[in-house]
Amino acid sequence: MNTDRKTAASADLAYLREMAEAGAKAPLLGGRFMVWWGGLASLTFLTHWAVIADILPLGWGVLLPMWVGFMVVGSFGQFLLVRTVRRKPGAGSMGNRVQAVVWPSVGAALMAYFFGILAGVYVGGLPAVFFNSMLAVGFAGYGMGWMIDALISRQRMLLVPAIISFAATFACAALMMTVETYLVASAGMFLGTFLPGLWVMTREPKDLV
């Protein structure tokens, strides 16, 4: 009986080792999502800045519909992109499974925070400037997401977007009361999410035949 237990324990350890190695070696498949959300957010932040800086004479009333549209369009694109990952080899690896949980969780937390501020502004008398706090909070979440990706995949290059995101967290918090915070956010999403997403995509395996 002891021999059977030792055999079972050895098999469990071998399985865990195999899972750890698979997570470290399998390419991450989330690059397309980073490109999509990073590009869309960067463009939306840039437009937001242009509106409140009076460069685009659209009026501040366009901002809320623009951000609601951002979430609707972004979520629809996310749904379509998920379908393209299913044929990729390595989708079931530890790294990709962790990534598939971490990033949607970050997105859900940011969406909950946004609607909480929205309710506070329209119901609880919260100053509208609190919307600006979304930027620093969002970059903090993205920085943690990239850090987890770097650790689970053992790809040191992914520490770069994590550092950029944390730097953008600082900058957006420091500039929270200025219009420039949205310009910084646009640059942060482009440099810290869109471009790294392209790099991750170049390392993806080809589709299964």
Side-chain angles (χ1 to χ4, degrees):
M1 183 175 293
N2 290 335
T3 302
D4 292 340
R5 289 179 178 176
K6 290 180 179 179
T7 302
S10 298
D12 291 341
L13 290 174
Y15 173 75
L16 292 175
R17 187 181 302 110
E18 181 182 352
M19 292 294 291
E21 291 175 354
K25 295 178 181 178
L28 296 177
L29 303 177
R32 66 197 64 205
F33 302 106
M34 306 307 176
V35 170
W36 171 245
W37 285 107
L40 186 62
S42 180
L43 180 61
T44 307
F45 282 136
L46 185 63
T47 304
H48 188 122
W49 168 77
V51 169
I52 63 178
D54 292 327
I55 295 175
L56 287 179
L58 300 177
W60 286 42
V62 75
L63 297 178
L64 180 58
M66 180 182 71
W67 281 107
V68 173
F70 163 81
M71 287 185 286
V72 172
V73 173
S75 298
F76 181 70
Q78 172 87 10
F79 171 76
L80 295 178
L81 289 174
V82 167
R83 300 169 64 89
T84 68
V85 175
R86 294 174 181 172
R87 291 180 57 83
K88 290 285 186 181
S93 69
M94 180 65 73
N96 283 301
R97 283 190 288 175
V98 170
Q99 192 178 56
V101 172
V102 170
W103 286 102
S105 298
V106 171
L110 294 178
M111 187 172 295
Y113 187 70
F114 170 80
F115 282 110
I117 295 176
L118 185 64
V121 169
Y122 285 95
V123 179
L126 192 69
V129 72
F130 271 83
F131 280 115
N132 292 2
S133 68
M134 278 286 305
L135 307 182
V137 172
F139 278 114
Y142 270 59
M144 288 185 286
W146 281 116
M147 186 69 70
I148 292 172
D149 282 353
L151 294 177
I152 197 67
S153 65
R154 300 182 185 178
Q155 296 181 22
R156 294 184 179 180
M157 279 294 296
L158 297 184
L159 292 174
V160 175
I163 293 171
I164 293 174
S165 296
F166 290 140
T169 300
F170 170 82
C172 287
L175 299 173
M176 188 182 301
M177 301 300 291
T178 70
V179 297
E180 285 76 17
T181 189
Y182 285 93
L183 190 60
V184 170
S186 177
M189 288 302 292
F190 184 79
L191 297 174
T193 301
F194 179 80
L195 291 182
L198 287 177
W199 181 82
V200 172
M201 286 186 68
T202 63
R203 299 174 62 83
E204 290 183 3
K206 296 181 180 180
D207 292 343
L208 292 173
V209 180

